[in-house]
Amino acid sequence: MATVRSRQIKKEDHPPQRSIAKSLVLTILTLLLLVVLFISGQLVRREYSFHPISGTSMSPTLTEKDMVLVKRRNPIHRYDVIAFSVKGEDGKFVKRVIGMPGDTMFIRNDRMVLSIGEQGDFETTYTFHLSPAVAEKFQDLTKIPKGLYFTTGDHIDVSKDSRTFGFVDKKEIEGTVQFHLPSVIRKQANSE
């Protein structure tokens, strides 16, 4: 019994120590994890951005204080919701693409008739009332020029869109809206 007791005393006198090799491996793994997280964050920031929605021009799809995730460098299709800048205006606009490059159109008395049919035969059309300045600018066009898009808000009665500021240049488009976080969910998350 004396032998067993002396071994117990030895263990209590000298607590186990982590080897230098294990400490070094843990340190390297921790640094590697931090580097991977940093690089992932940079890649996500390069491909995506978040924007808050202000105003009601996209109701009911998007409402005041919703947050949207915008994917950059994404192909643009008709009816996509896009985020873009407008020269002379503050902030980002978020609107729906209605007119695509090459779509046939004509202007009559501040109204634009836009053909979205396959061959520009005006079987499927939209009609928009334009501001006088935009109608004058579009007067001589028969097609939406290459690299330009016609956008509107979903709540068309209150939306400031291509009807007031003209076409949106592809260079000014940040990307397409991929996802939105409704303000109701965000309010619940913040209150918890």
Side-chain angles (χ1 to χ4, degrees), residues 26-42:
L26 283 173
T27 304
I28 290 171
L29 287 175
T30 303
L31 288 173
L32 246 164
L33 180 64
L34 289 173
V35 167
V36 166
L37 288 173
F38 176 76
I39 290 172
S40 298
Q42 294 301 318

Side-chain angles (χ1 to χ4, degrees), residues 78 96-101 103 114 116 144 148-151:
R78 191 181 319 276
R96 190 170 303 280
V97 174
I98 303 298
M100 302 286 290
D103 284 350
L114 175 67
I116 61 166
I144 295 179
L148 299 178
Y149 297 85
F150 188 85
T151 64

Side-chain angles (χ1 to χ4, degrees), residues 14-178:
H14 304 290
Q17 294 181 0
R18 200 180 281 170
S19 71
I20 295 174
K22 284 184 182 178
S23 295
L24 186 59
V25 167
L26 283 173
T27 304
I28 290 171
L29 287 175
T30 303
L31 288 173
L32 246 164
L33 180 64
L34 289 173
V35 167
V36 166
L37 288 173
F38 176 76
I39 290 172
S40 298
Q42 294 301 318
L43 290 174
V44 166
R45 225 177 282 143
R46 190 177 327 150
E47 292 295 319
Y48 295 93
S49 61
F50 282 98
H51 293 291
I53 298 297
S54 62
T56 59
S57 69
M58 285 300 290
S59 288
T61 309
L62 301 170
T63 58
E64 182 85 32
K65 298 183 182 173
D66 283 356
M67 289 292 288
V68 293
L69 175 70
V70 176
K71 183 173 184 187
R72 296 181 176 136
R73 295 184 290 275
N74 207 27
I76 299 167
H77 303 286
R78 191 181 319 276
Y79 307 121
D80 280 349
V81 177
I82 61 172
F84 58 93
S85 300
V86 174
K87 290 179 183 170
E89 298 282 343
D90 293 333
K92 295 281 182 200
F93 283 74
V94 175
K95 305 291 178 194
R96 190 170 303 280
V97 174
I98 303 298
M100 302 286 290
D103 284 350
T104 306
M105 59 178 271
F106 67 85
I107 306 296
R108 294 285 185 270
N109 301 326
D110 294 344
R111 292 200 181 275
M112 177 176 88
V113 177
L114 175 67
S115 173
I116 61 166
E118 291 296 317
Q119 299 161 357
D121 56 9
F122 290 93
E123 277 190 31
T124 307
T125 62
Y126 286 107
T127 302
F128 300 100
H129 187 273
L130 305 175
S131 72
V134 170
E136 186 177 326
K137 190 170 25 171
F138 290 1
Q139 191 64 48
D140 296 330
L141 297 176
T142 57
K143 290 186 180 283
I144 295 179
K146 184 177 180 180
L148 299 178
Y149 297 85
F150 188 85
T151 64
T152 64
D154 288 356
H155 189 186
I156 204 152
D157 294 335
V158 299
S159 180
K160 183 176 184 180
D161 48 40
S162 289
R163 297 170 299 149
T164 48
F165 53 69
F167 293 124
V168 176
D169 193 320
K170 186 172 185 167
K171 295 177 217 159
E172 301 297 325
I173 298 173
E174 182 175 347
T176 59
V177 171
Q178 299 295 303

